Amino acid sequence: MRMKRFRADRSGQNLVEFALVVVMLLLLVVGICEFGRAWNLYQILANASREGARLASLPSGFTSAAAVNTTVKNYLTNGNVDPAKVTIAIGGAGVDGGTGTQVSITLTYPYKFGYVGPVVRLINPGATAGADITITAQSVMRNE
């Protein structure tokens, strides 16, 4: 008789279900926030490389590689990105390329996940999910 009453009592069921679901829900929400941070960083890098390529594509004698680097670093600083961590590569024909040649600006940034990565590695130390990634943005423009 006592056992039947114990089986019928479900007062802790909601608490157990909530404890199981809240972990997955929090991982989902934090994962969305991490993706948003990475996407925002990519957009800042893409815009900075575009500004650098725009300046680098000016006719010969109007700009220099140092001016392009300064412009890109200023854009990154305004976007709250540490310019010391960004690698800037000027490719193609370069800053003083002839008319009609292409110049490319490539920016790479090592991105570290703030919350999801350490949690995934804590659960599964050999996991590659949540590992640090390199975000790359490139802009190509024609020298004028």
mmCIF file of all heavy atoms in Angstrom, residues 47-58 63 68 103 105 139 141:
data_model
loop_
_atom_site.group_PDB
_atom_site.id
_atom_site.type_symbol
_atom_site.label_atom_id
_atom_site.label_comp_id
_atom_site.label_asym_id
_atom_site.label_seq_id
_atom_site.Cartn_x
_atom_site.Cartn_y
_atom_site.Cartn_z
ATOM 1 N N ASN A 47 34.805 44.406 -43.691
ATOM 2 C CA ASN A 47 34.735 45.844 -43.972
ATOM 3 C C ASN A 47 36.110 46.498 -43.899
ATOM 4 O O ASN A 47 36.425 47.380 -44.701
ATOM 5 C CB ASN A 47 33.777 46.527 -42.999
ATOM 6 C CG ASN A 47 32.337 46.154 -43.266
ATOM 7 O OD1 ASN A 47 31.985 45.747 -44.366
ATOM 8 N ND2 ASN A 47 31.500 46.277 -42.260
ATOM 9 N N ALA A 48 36.943 46.069 -42.950
ATOM 10 C CA ALA A 48 38.292 46.630 -42.856
ATOM 11 C C ALA A 48 39.121 46.256 -44.083
ATOM 12 O O ALA A 48 39.858 47.091 -44.618
ATOM 13 C CB ALA A 48 38.975 46.129 -41.585
ATOM 14 N N SER A 49 38.997 45.016 -44.559
ATOM 15 C CA SER A 49 39.750 44.629 -45.760
ATOM 16 C C SER A 49 39.238 45.385 -46.986
ATOM 17 O O SER A 49 40.023 45.752 -47.865
ATOM 18 C CB SER A 49 39.679 43.120 -45.980
ATOM 19 O OG SER A 49 38.376 42.722 -46.337
ATOM 20 N N ARG A 50 37.942 45.650 -47.035
ATOM 21 C CA ARG A 50 37.373 46.426 -48.147
ATOM 22 C C ARG A 50 37.902 47.857 -48.145
ATOM 23 O O ARG A 50 38.255 48.401 -49.189
ATOM 24 C CB ARG A 50 35.847 46.422 -48.051
ATOM 25 C CG ARG A 50 35.167 46.992 -49.267
ATOM 26 C CD ARG A 50 33.654 46.921 -49.176
ATOM 27 N NE ARG A 50 33.212 45.561 -48.914
ATOM 28 C CZ ARG A 50 32.518 45.186 -47.836
ATOM 29 N NH1 ARG A 50 32.208 46.071 -46.918
ATOM 30 N NH2 ARG A 50 32.147 43.946 -47.684
ATOM 31 N N GLU A 51 37.979 48.462 -46.961
ATOM 32 C CA GLU A 51 38.522 49.820 -46.876
ATOM 33 C C GLU A 51 39.993 49.845 -47.276
ATOM 34 O O GLU A 51 40.439 50.766 -47.959
ATOM 35 C CB GLU A 51 38.356 50.371 -45.453
ATOM 36 C CG GLU A 51 36.935 50.702 -45.078
ATOM 37 C CD GLU A 51 36.336 51.783 -45.945
ATOM 38 O OE1 GLU A 51 37.031 52.780 -46.251
ATOM 39 O OE2 GLU A 51 35.161 51.631 -46.336
ATOM 40 N N GLY A 52 40.746 48.836 -46.850
ATOM 41 C CA GLY A 52 42.152 48.766 -47.241
ATOM 42 C C GLY A 52 42.317 48.556 -48.737
ATOM 43 O O GLY A 52 43.176 49.168 -49.377
ATOM 44 N N ALA A 53 41.486 47.710 -49.329
ATOM 45 C CA ALA A 53 41.564 47.465 -50.776
ATOM 46 C C ALA A 53 41.152 48.705 -51.559
ATOM 47 O O ALA A 53 41.725 49.001 -52.614
ATOM 48 C CB ALA A 53 40.674 46.280 -51.154
ATOM 49 N N ARG A 54 40.178 49.425 -51.051
ATOM 50 C CA ARG A 54 39.753 50.658 -51.721
ATOM 51 C C ARG A 54 40.889 51.668 -51.757
ATOM 52 O O ARG A 54 41.136 52.317 -52.776
ATOM 53 C CB ARG A 54 38.536 51.230 -50.991
ATOM 54 C CG ARG A 54 37.917 52.422 -51.661
ATOM 55 C CD ARG A 54 36.643 52.866 -50.980
ATOM 56 N NE ARG A 54 35.610 51.857 -51.198
ATOM 57 C CZ ARG A 54 34.823 51.372 -50.258
ATOM 58 N NH1 ARG A 54 34.939 51.786 -49.015
ATOM 59 N NH2 ARG A 54 33.913 50.490 -50.531
ATOM 60 N N LEU A 55 41.598 51.789 -50.642
ATOM 61 C CA LEU A 55 42.728 52.716 -50.595
ATOM 62 C C LEU A 55 43.889 52.201 -51.447
ATOM 63 O O LEU A 55 44.541 52.980 -52.150
ATOM 64 C CB LEU A 55 43.172 52.912 -49.144
ATOM 65 C CG LEU A 55 44.314 53.896 -48.912
ATOM 66 C CD1 LEU A 55 43.898 55.300 -49.345
ATOM 67 C CD2 LEU A 55 44.726 53.886 -47.464
ATOM 68 N N ALA A 56 44.135 50.904 -51.415
ATOM 69 C CA ALA A 56 45.262 50.338 -52.165
ATOM 70 C C ALA A 56 45.035 50.392 -53.670
ATOM 71 O O ALA A 56 45.990 50.334 -54.442
ATOM 72 C CB ALA A 56 45.505 48.898 -51.732
ATOM 73 N N SER A 57 43.802 50.494 -54.122
ATOM 74 C CA SER A 57 43.525 50.491 -55.560
ATOM 75 C C SER A 57 43.619 51.876 -56.194
ATOM 76 O O SER A 57 43.352 52.019 -57.394
ATOM 77 C CB SER A 57 42.128 49.898 -55.822
ATOM 78 O OG SER A 57 41.128 50.751 -55.299
ATOM 79 N N LEU A 58 44.004 52.869 -55.415
ATOM 80 C CA LEU A 58 44.182 54.209 -55.976
ATOM 81 C C LEU A 58 45.347 54.212 -56.973
ATOM 82 O O LEU A 58 46.225 53.345 -56.904
ATOM 83 C CB LEU A 58 44.454 55.221 -54.861
ATOM 84 C CG LEU A 58 43.281 55.524 -53.939
ATOM 85 C CD1 LEU A 58 43.726 56.448 -52.813
ATOM 86 C CD2 LEU A 58 42.128 56.145 -54.705
ATOM 87 N N THR A 63 49.083 56.473 -52.658
ATOM 88 C CA THR A 63 49.038 55.777 -51.371
ATOM 89 C C THR A 63 50.260 54.887 -51.222
ATOM 90 O O THR A 63 51.060 54.749 -52.150
ATOM 91 C CB THR A 63 47.740 54.948 -51.241
ATOM 92 O OG1 THR A 63 47.644 54.474 -49.911
ATOM 93 C CG2 THR A 63 47.732 53.782 -52.207
ATOM 94 N N VAL A 68 47.853 51.929 -46.125
ATOM 95 C CA VAL A 68 46.821 50.887 -46.164
ATOM 96 C C VAL A 68 46.765 50.172 -44.814
ATOM 97 O O VAL A 68 45.678 49.960 -44.255
ATOM 98 C CB VAL A 68 47.096 49.886 -47.314
ATOM 99 C CG1 VAL A 68 46.167 48.692 -47.224
ATOM 100 C CG2 VAL A 68 46.946 50.580 -48.653
ATOM 101 N N VAL A 103 44.543 44.238 -56.767
ATOM 102 C CA VAL A 103 45.180 44.241 -55.463
ATOM 103 C C VAL A 103 44.228 43.536 -54.495
ATOM 104 O O VAL A 103 43.012 43.684 -54.599
ATOM 105 C CB VAL A 103 45.511 45.676 -54.985
ATOM 106 C CG1 VAL A 103 44.263 46.516 -54.832
ATOM 107 C CG2 VAL A 103 46.297 45.660 -53.691
ATOM 108 N N ILE A 105 43.548 42.469 -50.326
ATOM 109 C CA ILE A 105 43.871 42.644 -48.915
ATOM 110 C C ILE A 105 43.242 41.466 -48.175
ATOM 111 O O ILE A 105 42.033 41.250 -48.250
ATOM 112 C CB ILE A 105 43.321 43.970 -48.354
ATOM 113 C CG1 ILE A 105 43.788 45.163 -49.196
ATOM 114 C CG2 ILE A 105 43.682 44.132 -46.889
ATOM 115 C CD1 ILE A 105 45.262 45.414 -49.141
ATOM 116 N N SER A 139 39.405 41.050 -49.635
ATOM 117 C CA SER A 139 38.773 41.946 -50.608
ATOM 118 C C SER A 139 39.744 42.122 -51.775
ATOM 119 O O SER A 139 40.929 42.330 -51.573
ATOM 120 C CB SER A 139 38.438 43.288 -49.997
ATOM 121 O OG SER A 139 37.444 43.145 -49.013
ATOM 122 N N MET A 141 40.247 44.327 -55.382
ATOM 123 C CA MET A 141 39.796 45.447 -56.219
ATOM 124 C C MET A 141 40.811 45.684 -57.321
ATOM 125 O O MET A 141 41.970 45.317 -57.203
ATOM 126 C CB MET A 141 39.605 46.713 -55.383
ATOM 127 C CG MET A 141 38.456 46.632 -54.429
ATOM 128 S SD MET A 141 38.065 48.230 -53.762
ATOM 129 C CE MET A 141 36.699 47.779 -52.722
#
